Amino acid sequence: EQQSRLLAQAQGDVISLVIGRDGDDLRRVAQSAYGASADWRLIAIFNNVRTARVSAGQRINIPRPVTSR
């Protein structure tokens, strides 16, 4: 249920695109995009992936951060 809520709040709000490099993972991507590596799960949910692993050349959409309401 929490995943559905996060996805609904972020749906359609892509703020950037990251192309994965060797050694990247979603924790590093989240740290760079949001300043918090723990937010990697939002990126994973938005991109329909199950792990933090990123392949070289993989396209990763970065959704707008979810804010508390």
Side-chain angles (χ1 to χ4, degrees), residues 25-40 43 62:
D25 67 20
L26 292 181
R27 289 174 196 87
R28 186 175 298 171
V29 171
Q31 181 67 40
S32 177
Y34 304 138
S37 62
D39 290 339
W40 74 271
I43 298 170
I62 306 300

Side-chain angles (χ1 to χ4, degrees), residues 36-47:
S37 62
D39 290 339
W40 74 271
R41 288 176 187 84
L42 174 61
I43 298 170
I45 293 165
F46 193 81
N47 286 276

Side-chain angles (χ1 to χ4, degrees), residues 43-64:
I43 298 170
I45 293 165
F46 193 81
N47 286 276
N48 198 31
V49 297
R50 295 183 181 261
T51 68
R53 189 174 304 132
V54 173
S55 302
Q58 181 178 352
R59 296 170 58 94
I60 305 161
N61 291 306
I62 306 300
R64 183 171 309 285

